Structure formats: C-alpha cells, structure tokens
Amino acid sequence: MLQLTTLVDGVREVRGLSDGTYIIGRGAACRIVLPFPEVSERHAVITVRDGQAILEDLHSANGTYVNGEEIVSQVVLDGSKVVQIGESMLRVCDDEGAAGRTDGAHAMQDGGTEPAAAEEVELQETDATAQVSGAEREMRRSVQRQIAGELLKRMDMKRLTLDGVDREGLEDTARAKIRQIIREVVSNGRLPDGIDPVRLEEDVFNEALRLGPLEDLLADETVSEIMVNGPEKVYVERRGKLELTDCQFSDDASVHAIIERIVSPLGRRIDESSPYVDARLPDGSRVNAIIAPLSLSGPVVTIRKFASKALTAADFIRFGTWTHNAAEFMRLCVLLRKNIIVAGGTGSGKTTLLNLLSGFIPHSERIITVEDAAELRLQQPHVVRLEARPANIEGKGAVTIRDLVRNCLRMRPDRIIVGECRGGEALDMLQAMNTGHDGSLTTVHANSPRDVISRLETMVLMSGMELPSAAIREQIASAVDVIIHESRLSDGSRKVVAISEVTGLEGSQIVMQDIFAFRQTGVGANGRILGEFKPTGAMPTWYDQLAGRGIHCDAAMFDPDSSAAVTLRLMK
C-alpha cells in the first residue's frame, strides 16, 4: 500500500493511500487540506490506481512543483519525487521506511516559484556525553551553521531585495523561515539536548540578518567597547577593564559577513585591495575593521559603542569625570564662543565629551559637523552633518576632512565642529577660527594640553604649507582659547584631568594656564585612583568681560578652597 507523507507548517503526517482520487487544496471539501492563502481552492489531484500514484495540477494560481520544476502534465510519483504546493511538502512512498526518510525540511527558494531540489535537514549527531563547555559551544555552533545553511536554501534574499521587499519585510520572512525549520527539527527529535529552540532561533536570525553574537553585547549597557579578534576571541570593555567573552563566530566567513553588513549601507567596501575600513552603526557607534592579508589573526572588528542616550553634564558629575563648577565653566566658554580643543589618548572619551560640549550651543545657531564617520548626535534643530568619503575601487572620488572643512566655510556656519583633526585640516580649522568662525570645537590626540600645541604644529606642516614655526604658533595662540584634556586612568575610569586657557604668545612660546586640574592623592582598594579635580586659583583672562556680555559668574567658581556650587546667571 502506498503512503503519503506531508510536511505542513513543520508538522509531519503519514497516511495510507488506497486506490482513489485525492483532491489537494485549501477548500474544506478536499481530501488533503492545505489551509494557506497561496494554495488554490482545488489546487492539484493525486490519483492512485493499481499501486501507482499520478499527480496532476488543477490549473492552480501558483502552480505545483516536483523536485523544483513546475509540472505541466501528469507526473508519476515515487519516493524520489518531492511535491511542493505553497510552503507544504508531500512525498509518496511504497513503504513506511522510505516515507521516514522525509523527516526534516526540504530545500526550496522563497516565494514558491522555483523550489530547489529536495534535501533533508538532518542535524549531525553530537556526543551527548561531552560535558565540557568547549564541546557544548561547538555543538551549538554546528547546529546553528546547519540551520543557517538551510535558511539560505529556502530564502533568495537577493531576489527579495530586488523585488522591493523592505528590511522589515525581509526580517519578518527570515524569522518565519527560521522558526519553521527549527519546528521541523524539534518534531523529528533531532535537536540535541540542552539547546533552547527560542535562543537558537534568535542566534540564527542575528547571524543571518544582523550582527550575529555581537547583538547581545551591543544591547548590554555595561559594555563600552567590543573587540573581535577573529571568530573565536571576542573581548569587551566593561568599566574600563577588558574581559574575554564566550561569544564566538562560526568561522572567518561569518565575521567577514558581519563586516560587509555594516559597511555596505554606507557605500564603503572591504576586500583584499582595501583590507581595512572605518564605519559606523546606525546608533553612531564607531566601527573599524581589518582583514587578511593585513590581519594575521583573521578578521578583526573594533566597535566603540555610543550610549543609548546622550550623556549629560550631570552624568559626568555622577561618574566623577568632572565637577559641577567645571561643567558650568565649560558651558560659559561655549556661550562666549571660545574655540575649544578636546584632547586625550585613544579611548579616553574625547568624542563623548565633544558631544556633551556641543549640547551647550544655543538652539538658535546653525551648526555644521565634519567627521570621518558621523558619530556626533546633536539635539539642536539646525544641524548640518558632513561625512568624509573614502576612495572608490579605482582609487578616485575620495572626499577628505580637509575638503569638507573648506567647503563648510561657504555654508554660513555659526559653529563648526570637526570630529577629529589628525592631518592637514588643522590648518584650515585654525584659519577658520581666526577669520570670524569663533566658537568652533574639535578633538586632537595628545597626552597633555602642552602636547596639543606640538601636535597642531605637526599637523599644520602636514598640510603641505611650508610655514615657519613662529607663524604657526602665532596662528595657534590667536585661534585656540581653551584646551580640555581627558584621560583614561589605570583603573579604567575616564576623567577630565585639566582645563587650560591659552593666554597668548610670549616670544616664541605659547603661554597657558590651568583653570581646573586633577591631582591624584593615592590608590585605593581594587586599584581605584584617588584624587580631586578642583580649581587651581587662576582666573581666566576674560573674566572681567562677563558683566558686559550679560553673564553673572561668581568668582568662587575659581577658588580652590571653596566648595560652593556656582551656577551661571544670564542677565536679561
């Protein structure tokens, strides 16, 4: 006696087929009911006679397929032929043993128009006695790879994209497919013990359409930086300390796919001819990736996360980054349109601090930002964001920070904010500060406020203009008003360690004075740095001008012996 095995929405059913006619469709009167909108009321018919089953399409709207080919005439069914009607799979066999081979899912392309040759989803057996975490991770990764492979067979993502399916629709389709495949595997008893189907679904979905195992780390508010050193080593920074996580990728190709998923929407690329790239995530988090042949450790990805909400001056005070009076002094500097440079080492928090200072700019002003990768998130209504562009595959079309700085001078800015000066754009920035574009802000890599001057001199020379050192220093002394130096200390904490005023030029030396400074007093429990950030007693040279600008600022702000919290008052 023939037997029909059906796989409908992950549920497997076996029934005997005696001689007769079996109408297939979504209508209630059909002997084989497939209740799906893509199935016609009377879709197809199987006629069984003398131990032979013959399939025929009943002029259905979406067609009937056998082994991936749409049938146009009668087809004799046997165990080698798989019938696809919509999302449902059917196979006719002459015994139960043959029917049992249909356990699992059969490969097909999305949309029901060109099903691929049928294949079985059979998860490889894993040694159930292996209890070590490494073996468990490898088992999970093996299962995940097989589910992901089946998803690729069932979905033609390229075609869906070309058909105009938006990202939300693509994700919904992919999630439904993954859920269906996992149901099939569970119903056939092939999911190894200890693997949660819900977690497996999320892991496969993240790796297929999002950022794989990095999604959990990106959602973790305690993680400030993510470092992928090849597929098997993923480190994070929490509270300034590095930790090795148990997150792993399947292989180098999985990491490379994640990199492509990040850079492609930005119009950037990474390959052997251009093996490193800077990019950003939709939330502004900074991404750097480098691959072979430059990286010998496999694909390496570094993500510097941005907080889900912009940090405020109060947050900085709570973290111990600075004090209330220091925050008020910096708000005063921004309101007075002082040109400010935020300095510090890598990972010290310069961009975060720049974003905070930008928040002090009045909402009535036009702000233009220039960045390599757009990270700043300003809340003012009148903000124009410019982003540099790397060269294309032919080495042409690059637009540098310097190009954008020069261009934004023609865009009627009230404020110019450059994400980071690291080359010849420093000259253009200084010239802008000296030609009426006061109130500009930028960041510079430097180890101290004094080092900022040397760095600026070096970067001006990188512009190709052979200016004498005295002329460069004169430009710097005239342009820069305040330098804020932020540092990441040995205990992982980030602190503003100096706020300095550039007071002018004496001879060939630029003169500076610290207004606020951090003084370390010792090391506490667990290596925590102890110290105090307080005024030095020096008054800014322009303090006497405040009353004429309609601003009242209590001189106690600059008294190192005063603990009073001073708040600015704007006179009407």
Side-chain angles (χ1 to χ4, degrees):
M1 183 179 184
L2 296 179
Q3 292 194 355
L4 172 69
T5 301
T6 59
L7 195 61
V8 180
D9 200 21
V11 179
R12 176 177 175 269
E13 181 182 351
V14 180
R15 72 178 77 186
L17 293 179
S18 56
D19 287 358
T21 300
Y22 297 83
I23 302 295
I24 306 170
R26 73 167 186 265
C30 297
R31 295 185 69 177
I32 302 174
V33 178
L34 304 177
F36 303 104
E38 66 269 23
V39 179
S40 300
E41 192 79 14
R42 291 166 53 88
H43 197 106
V45 61
I46 296 177
T47 303
V48 179
R49 190 176 298 113
D50 299 329
Q52 187 179 61
I54 299 173
L55 173 69
E56 183 179 2
D57 184 75
L58 297 178
H59 306 289
S60 62
N62 295 315
T64 301
Y65 296 82
V66 173
N67 287 355
E69 299 291 336
E70 184 174 5
I71 64 173
V72 294
S73 59
Q74 293 182 345
V75 176
V76 177
L77 300 179
D78 56 38
S80 67
K81 294 183 174 66
V82 175
V83 180
Q84 181 194 337
I85 296 176
E87 299 290 339
S88 305
M89 314 294 284
L90 304 91
R91 179 182 284 176
V92 174
C93 299
D94 57 3
D95 55 52
E96 175 64 31
R101 290 196 298 270
T102 64
D103 289 359
H106 305 281
M108 61 181 177
Q109 293 179 333
D110 186 74
T113 57
E114 294 182 6
E119 296 180 6
E120 301 175 8
V121 175
E122 294 194 13
L123 299 182
Q124 298 172 358
E125 295 296 329
T126 307
D127 185 6
T129 62
Q131 298 297 322
V132 295
S133 60
E136 292 176 353
R137 283 199 302 269
E138 184 56 37
M139 176 182 69
R140 178 180 294 277
R141 288 166 57 190
S142 176
V143 171
Q144 189 172 327
R145 279 197 298 268
Q146 293 174 70
I147 298 291
E150 184 65 19
L151 175 67
L152 290 177
K153 295 175 184 176
R154 297 194 182 195
M155 284 190 67
D156 187 348
M157 296 188 186
K158 181 176 180 181
R159 194 188 69 193
L160 287 172
T161 302
L162 292 175
D163 287 345
V165 178
D166 60 15
R167 181 168 184 82
E168 185 177 349
L170 190 65
E171 291 186 352
D172 289 344
T173 302
R175 192 175 283 280
K177 295 286 186 187
I178 295 168
R179 190 174 295 123
Q180 178 184 354
I181 294 169
I182 294 176
R183 278 203 302 264
E184 295 166 6
V185 172
V186 171
S187 65
N188 295 325
R190 288 199 172 97
L191 187 67
D193 294 338
I195 295 183
D196 179 11
V198 176
R199 179 65 188 177
L200 178 61
E201 175 189 329
E202 197 65 27
D203 289 344
V204 174
F205 176 77
N206 285 337
E207 186 150 354
L209 276 92
R210 293 186 177 170
L211 301 184
L214 301 185
E215 286 291 332
D216 287 342
L217 300 179
L218 289 169
D220 188 342
E221 294 289 343
T222 66
V223 173
S224 57
E225 198 147 359
I226 302 170
M227 292 142 279
V228 180
N229 301 345
E232 297 182 352
K233 290 185 178 180
V234 179
Y235 288 85
V236 298
E237 179 189 282
R238 284 191 176 94
R239 293 172 289 278
K241 299 293 185 180
L242 294 182
E243 301 175 10
L244 178 63
T245 71
D246 58 0
C247 292
Q248 292 185 341
F249 289 84
S250 301
D251 47 35
D252 284 356
S254 298
V255 184
H256 201 285
I258 295 302
I259 298 173
E260 289 283 0
R261 203 164 292 148
I262 293 172
V263 304
S264 294
L266 304 176
R268 304 193 177 189
R269 62 187 178 87
I270 186 167
D271 51 40
E272 286 191 4
S273 64
S274 181
Y276 58 90
V277 67
D278 288 314
R280 56 181 164 78
L281 299 180
D283 66 353
S285 297
R286 183 188 308 172
V287 181
N288 174 269
I290 185 168
I291 62 173
L294 301 187
S295 170
L296 305 182
S297 304
V300 175
V301 184
T302 308
I303 302 176
R304 185 164 298 165
K305 285 178 55 181
F306 265 28
S308 56
K309 67 180 185 71
L311 296 178
T312 65
D315 292 327
F316 272 50
I317 296 169
R318 190 173 72 254
F319 298 153
T321 304
W322 61 9
T323 62
H324 171 84
N325 285 353
E328 285 295 287
F329 176 70
M330 289 316 306
R331 185 163 77 95
L332 173 64
C333 292
V334 173
L335 291 175
L336 292 176
R337 302 182 65 86
K338 299 299 179 183
N339 294 320
I340 300 170
I341 293 180
V342 179
T346 300
S348 59
K350 298 186 299 297
T351 304
T352 302
L353 180 54
L354 180 65
N355 199 73
L356 173 60
L357 296 177
S358 302
F360 294 146
I361 298 175
H363 284 225
S364 59
E365 298 187 16
R366 174 177 169 87
I367 307 168
I368 298 180
T369 67
V370 179
E371 301 173 83
D372 259 333
E375 301 172 87
L376 296 174
R377 292 181 292 177
L378 276 64
Q379 305 302 313
Q380 289 87 342
H382 198 164
V383 178
V384 178
R385 306 172 74 199
L386 305 181
E387 184 177 54
R389 184 179 70 186
N392 60 21
I393 196 169
E394 297 173 348
K396 300 178 181 178
V399 179
T400 66
I401 292 286
R402 188 173 187 191
D403 296 329
L404 294 177
V405 170
R406 285 195 295 240
N407 184 78
C408 76
L409 298 178
R410 305 181 182 95
M411 298 173 65
R412 200 267 178 208
D414 287 316
R415 306 268 186 159
I416 300 173
I417 302 175
V418 178
E420 181 180 345
C421 280
R422 58 166 65 94
E425 62 272 8
L427 175 60
D428 301 284
M429 191 69 184
L430 291 174
Q431 289 179 328
M433 291 175 173
N434 278 323
T435 55
H437 297 92
D438 49 357
S440 299
L441 298 93
T442 188
T443 70
V444 169
H445 275 84
N447 293 324
S448 70
R450 176 60 60 182
D451 284 345
V452 172
I453 307 302
S454 299
R455 283 278 294 153
L456 287 174
E457 287 187 59
T458 302
M459 289 188 289
V460 169
L461 293 174
M462 291 170 64
S463 68
M465 301 289 290
E466 296 184 5
L467 297 174
S469 178
I472 296 174
R473 292 186 179 184
E474 189 174 343
Q475 285 269 336
I476 295 172
S478 176
V480 179
D481 296 309
V482 177
I483 297 174
I484 307 177
H485 183 242
E486 188 172 12
S487 180
R488 182 171 60 179
L489 304 182
S490 59
D491 63 353
S493 62
R494 293 173 171 86
K495 293 184 182 296
V496 174
V497 295
I499 299 177
S500 304
E501 180 194 11
V502 177
T503 58
L505 192 66
E506 290 186 2
S508 61
Q509 293 297 317
I510 292 178
V511 180
M512 305 169 60
Q513 65 172 357
D514 289 345
I515 306 298
F516 290 84
F518 177 78
R519 299 288 182 260
Q520 182 175 339
T521 58
V523 179
N526 301 320
R528 185 172 181 82
I529 299 296
L530 302 178
E532 192 175 10
F533 185 70
K534 58 191 299 186
T536 62
M539 300 279 285
T541 56
W542 35 262
Y543 178 78
D544 294 337
Q545 304 170 13
L546 294 182
R549 301 289 295 271
I551 299 174
H552 174 75
C553 176
D554 193 332
M557 173 184 287
F558 308 105
D559 184 355
D561 297 323
S562 173
S563 59
V566 176
T567 301
L568 300 180
R569 283 194 295 113
L570 304 182
M571 302 175 186
K572 296 183 179 179

